[in-house]
Amino acid sequence: MKNVQAPASRSYLEYLISSLKDPQEAAGYIQTFLELEEDGAGLEMLGSALKDVIDARLQANNLSETARQHYEKLDKILAETGGAEIYTLIEFLNALGYRIALAPKDDNSVPQDLRNWHKARAGI
């Protein structure tokens, strides 16, 4: 009988990091963890999800120094508070009938006039 070897497959983490190089995939991934708070799981997992997105950006050589610095600051805050502030904001918005939705900045799903309004308010 002939020896048959199964083809080697990439690990789940390798696949995940590869898929998170796509901005839409990364936004959906983070969104998932923001929505997990209703189950109580989001607090522990949000930091891990953000690290996965950072790792994907690093692999793609697509992480600015500014983004890296903000991530380090946020990672420290999440380590200290567990993200309680973020989830308190989400719960408050939920009580008002709103939800937070993530989308890549260059996503055309946000109407141009709304983007311009936000830029004008921010003084950009």
Side-chain angles (χ1 to χ4, degrees):
M1 180 171 215
K2 187 177 177 180
N3 281 341
V4 178
Q5 279 189 317
S9 64
R10 298 185 324 188
S11 75
Y12 173 74
L13 184 58
E14 288 173 346
Y15 169 77
L16 175 65
I17 298 301
S18 175
S19 70
L20 293 177
K21 292 176 185 176
D22 178 301
Q24 290 284 358
E25 291 287 328
Y29 184 66
I30 295 169
Q31 180 75 41
T32 299
F33 289 97
L34 289 173
E35 292 172 356
L36 283 178
E37 176 50 21
E38 293 174 11
D39 301 327
L43 286 171
E44 294 87 24
M45 299 178 72
L46 180 61
S48 179
L50 293 173
K51 180 163 181 2
D52 291 340
V53 172
I54 293 298
D55 289 346
R57 290 286 186 100
L58 286 169
Q59 266 190 17
N61 199 23
N62 185 18
L63 183 68
S64 70
E65 181 62 24
T66 302
R68 185 189 63 75
Q69 290 172 354
H70 285 298
Y71 169 71
E72 289 173 357
K73 184 177 179 180
L74 180 60
D75 188 50
K76 183 179 178 182
I77 291 168
L78 289 174
E80 292 172 0
T81 69
E85 298 87 351
I86 294 169
Y87 290 109
T88 299
L89 172 63
I90 291 170
E91 289 170 359
F92 170 66
L93 292 173
N94 186 42
L96 291 175
Y98 298 102
R99 70 181 177 102
I100 290 181
L102 264 78
K105 275 176 101 172
D106 60 351
D107 185 17
N108 290 327
S109 65
V110 177
Q112 184 65 40
D113 55 338
L114 183 57
R115 284 190 297 239
N116 291 338
W117 179 81
H118 283 290
K119 288 179 182 178
R121 290 213 27 155
I124 300 173

